[in-house]
Amino acid sequence: MFFIDSDITIVRNWRFFEIWVYHGVALGADVNFEGMSINHPMRGYWRTLLKEIQRPIREISGYANSGFVGVTKEHIELIEVWNEAIHTYAKHRGGYTIRPRADQDFGFFTIDQDLLNAAIMGCDIPISLAGKEAMSLNGRVGWMLHSLGPKKPWHGAYLKDLILKGKKLGIGVDSFLEHTSEPIRVFAPFSRGVAKFEAAFTKFLSRILSAN
């Protein structure tokens, strides 16, 4: 079973992911906290929550992005612990909002994602955590392309963003547009053609501006 955020484009052959998930729960490092140590202060808050839901605690380093999670049925325990942690913490804070509140959520940066990493501490199953290369967060095309931030490839306006904001074409735009015709057609053929032309022209103009 795989959960994949809507702003992720799969680049590698799908068979790669089917094999990966049998090495352990398939996860990719986040752009923040990639090398989170076992003694990171946020983990102290997570340990308290895990004790409350009576989970054993293992010491493990690293920090996963919750935009991609691959599990087999043998490792479904992680999803169950994650679910329990989310509901338990929501009772404490009175809701399920993702963004932490400065006056109470001291051990959290992005709550659902932090609780995934807490759940990893709270179950003894194999984890296969790849680095930033998994989601192309190192600036190079990897196995997936994760378009972080509020502006997504499908929002378009590539040329406008370059001219008015100096924003270059995101690394995930080309791959996103290449995968909009199949297996699910996202745009009408004409709209897709216009978007691809705009992206290509934006990239060309960006090179010219960078050279000057």
Side-chain angles (χ1 to χ4, degrees):
M1 179 178 70
F2 291 88
F3 166 78
I4 306 172
D5 264 359
S6 60
D7 58 358
I8 288 179
T9 302
I10 298 297
V11 178
R12 293 290 295 269
N13 185 285
W14 186 247
R15 181 60 179 154
F16 170 85
F17 297 92
E18 292 178 331
I19 295 172
W20 180 11
V21 78
Y22 280 96
H23 295 295
V25 177
L27 299 160
D30 189 53
V31 69
N32 300 302
F33 310 118
E34 180 186 13
M36 180 182 276
S37 70
I38 61 174
N39 292 319
H40 192 284
M42 289 169 64
R43 292 195 188 277
Y45 294 92
W46 304 349
R47 289 187 187 97
T48 300
L49 179 62
L50 290 171
K51 289 176 182 176
E52 180 180 346
I53 61 177
Q54 300 181 333
R55 296 299 308 180
I57 298 172
R58 66 169 167 177
E59 305 302 341
I60 188 169
S61 61
Y63 182 89
N65 184 292
S66 61
F68 174 88
V69 183
V71 297
T72 61
K73 63 180 180 181
E74 289 79 13
H75 302 148
I76 201 68
E77 179 187 1
L78 175 66
I79 306 302
E80 295 169 347
V81 177
W82 187 14
N83 180 65
E84 186 177 6
I86 288 173
H87 290 305
T88 300
Y89 192 65
K91 291 178 183 177
H92 288 311
R93 63 196 305 270
Y96 290 90
T97 55
I98 294 175
R99 295 300 172 193
R101 294 195 289 264
D103 61 339
Q104 71 175 80
D105 299 310
F106 304 119
F108 296 88
F109 184 75
T110 304
I111 290 176
D112 61 335
Q113 184 165 281
D114 294 335
L115 290 173
L116 168 63
N117 285 276
I120 292 170
M121 294 173 59
C123 54
D124 188 21
I125 57 175
I127 301 294
S128 181
L129 176 61
K132 291 181 180 179
E133 72 281 357
M135 298 186 184
S136 307
L137 301 181
N138 57 356
R140 297 185 296 273
V141 177
W143 309 337
M144 299 169 271
L145 282 156
H146 196 171
S147 300
L148 301 178
K151 186 65 183 289
K152 305 301 182 184
W154 55 84
H155 290 149
Y158 314 127
L159 188 58
K160 179 181 177 182
D161 285 345
L162 176 65
I163 294 173
L164 298 183
K165 302 176 183 178
K167 184 178 180 181
K168 295 183 179 180
L169 197 71
I171 188 175
V173 171
D174 284 340
S175 289
F176 168 75
L177 292 174
E178 284 299 320
H179 292 82
T180 52
S181 60
E182 57 180 25
I184 299 173
R185 193 169 77 176
V186 178
F187 299 122
F190 178 77
S191 298
R192 178 172 179 264
V194 170
K196 291 187 71 173
F197 175 80
E198 182 185 7
F201 184 73
T202 301
K203 189 185 297 184
F204 171 74
L205 183 59
S206 179
R207 290 197 189 104
I208 293 176
L209 294 174
S210 298
N212 294 330

